[in-house]
Amino acid sequence: MSPISKDMIRISRQADYGLLLLGCFAKVPERATFSARELADQSHAPLPMVSKVLKLLTRASLLESTRGAHGGYRLTRPPESVTVGEIIVACDGPISVTECAPDEPTTSNCAQEPFCPVAGSWQRLNDAIRDALDRVTLAEMTCPVADPVESFSGNEGPADV
Amino acid sequence: MSPISKDMIRISRQADYGLLLLGCFAKVPERATFSARELADQSHAPLPMVSKVLKLLTRASLLESTRGAHGGYRLTRPPESVTVGEIIVACDGPISVTECAPDEPTTSNCAQEPFCPVAGSWQRLNDAIRDALDRVTLAEMTCPVADPVESFSGNEGPADV
DNA sequence: GGATATCGGACTCAAGCGGTCCTATATCCT
DNA sequence: AGGATATAGGACCGCTTGAGTCCGATATCC
């Protein structure tokens, strides 16, 4: 199975689901709230997984939930202001391109940090990717033919990789 | 333990080593060739792993090798023209942000492709990341304080991944 | 021919991801 | 009040797959 070539820099399936689910919200603006079951149906994803991801998105306050009968989830912000980066972070935790990234100096688990010739540069790489991810919004992702941002190739300043 | 937060969009350790090793080359321009053992010492990485990664880099023709006694590896191109994207691809295969990315139409293993609200948008995300990764060169990574600046527009061939 | 390298695999081990399930809690309806 | 319906928050498990090792074959120098 899976004839797909190994992909690096991969996004976890959870985040994938997250994007998919939020996409469901964004696609039907008139509908405000959906239950987990409804979303599972719409997204053709297994209910338990959908449920799990919805919880994550809620904890990250990308969604808000109401319990009980006729409960469900709804977006807390318009799709235009939700970035893909946020969604991924919500589902999988902080985005970092390598373990070397010293978010906290105490946790420098990289044995060769003193010798590492590419020490500080990871940070810039991380920033570059984070940046790319934060440039794309949920609204743009759901937009069918999508002509968002011209920033991809001709991009402006922040290219400071 | 592992106080390190989970990192998504992670780069494999192999690619990490790849970058580290190529960094060794870039740091000592006068030295042309290194043996696997030398590099293992310099990079403080386990020899078998170093060896493995060097093979990968060679297959991708980022390095060229000479066998036999006094053999070793050397860069095929100046560090300024080698991109981080290339290195990652060399070590881990094609860069793709999700399995959905349909490189080949035949391999659409994504069950909900017909329904997927974010179908085509993955491609743009992929491009954005690839782009970010190809903007950073090996030379820039090794540059200590790194003030890469104009090398962006300055350099030639985009070094197609 | 022997020493030293790389080359190209196969192989093992363990972490972590994908996925499920169960119990507690909150809300609506009758 | 009580039942039905939802979410909240865990624990739990199997299996993939990445990290790392090792070995035999080949090529080169002395």
Side-chain angles (χ1 to χ4, degrees):
Chain A
M1 263 310 166
S2 168
I4 284 283
S5 51
K6 277 193 318 182
D7 46 77
M8 217 48 270
I9 310 205
R10 66 192 303 271
I11 283 187
S12 82
R13 203 151 242 261
Q14 273 188 22
D16 203 345
Y17 281 134
L19 219 23
L20 184 62
L21 292 174
L22 289 182
C24 291
F25 285 95
K27 271 194 117 174
V28 192
E30 53 276 17
R31 271 296 294 271
T33 92
F34 293 88
S35 72
R37 173 163 288 284
E38 286 174 313
L39 289 167
D41 290 345
Q42 285 193 30
S43 64
H44 297 85
L47 175 58
M49 201 63 207
V50 167
S51 199
K52 183 182 195 174
V53 174
L54 286 173
K55 291 172 198 170
L56 292 171
L57 293 171
T58 303
R59 296 194 102 182
S61 59
L62 291 179
L63 293 177
E64 53 188 8
S65 64
T66 58
R67 290 174 152 200
H70 303 130
Y73 299 89
R74 65 183 167 285
L75 287 175
T76 58
R77 285 147 48 193
E80 295 80 21
S81 71
V82 180
T83 72
V84 172
E86 280 181 293
I87 300 173
I88 294 174
V89 169
C91 294
D92 297 330
I95 295 175
S96 179
V97 89
T98 177
E99 303 101 27
C100 276
D103 283 340
E104 313 174 18
T106 58
T107 60
S108 67
N109 54 349
C110 179
Q112 48 255 68
E113 186 177 338
F115 327 102
C116 188
V118 293
S121 306
W122 280 119
Q123 204 53 49
R124 295 187 296 126
L125 252 191
N126 277 325
D127 292 345
I129 292 184
R130 259 185 273 246
D131 199 54
L133 255 25
D134 280 336
R135 251 191 248 289
V136 185
T137 71
L138 176 58
E140 288 161 4
M141 287 293 280
T142 25
C143 173
V145 179
D147 171 37
V149 233
E150 59 266 32
S151 49
F152 285 149
S153 48
N155 78 19
E156 65 279 10
D160 54 86
V161 179
Chain B
M1 254 326 149
S2 165
I4 285 284
S5 50
K6 278 193 317 181
D7 47 78
M8 217 48 266
I9 310 210
R10 66 191 303 270
I11 282 187
S12 82
R13 205 149 241 261
Q14 274 189 20
D16 202 344
Y17 281 135
L19 219 23
L20 184 62
L21 293 173
L22 289 182
C24 291
F25 285 94
K27 271 195 119 174
V28 191
E30 53 277 15
R31 271 296 294 271
T33 91
F34 293 88
S35 72
R37 173 162 288 284
E38 286 173 313
L39 289 167
D41 290 346
Q42 285 194 30
S43 65
H44 297 85
L47 175 57
M49 202 61 207
V50 167
S51 200
K52 182 182 194 175
V53 175
L54 287 173
K55 292 172 199 170
L56 291 171
L57 293 171
T58 304
R59 297 193 102 180
S61 58
L62 291 179
L63 293 177
E64 53 190 8
S65 63
T66 58
R67 291 174 150 199
H70 303 132
Y73 298 88
R74 65 183 166 285
L75 286 176
T76 58
R77 286 149 45 194
E80 296 80 20
S81 71
V82 179
T83 72
V84 172
E86 281 181 294
I87 299 172
I88 295 174
V89 169
C91 294
D92 296 331
I95 296 174
S96 180
V97 89
T98 176
E99 303 99 26
C100 277
D103 283 341
E104 314 173 18
T106 59
T107 60
S108 67
N109 55 349
C110 180
Q112 49 255 69
E113 187 178 337
F115 328 102
C116 187
V118 293
S121 306
W122 280 118
Q123 205 53 49
R124 296 186 298 124
L125 252 191
N126 277 325
D127 292 344
I129 292 185
R130 257 186 273 248
D131 199 52
L133 254 24
D134 281 335
R135 252 191 247 288
V136 185
T137 71
L138 175 58
E140 288 161 4
M141 287 293 279
T142 25
C143 175
V145 179
D147 175 35
V149 251
E150 59 251 301
S151 41
F152 289 145
S153 48
N155 70 17
E156 66 293 352
D160 43 287
V161 174

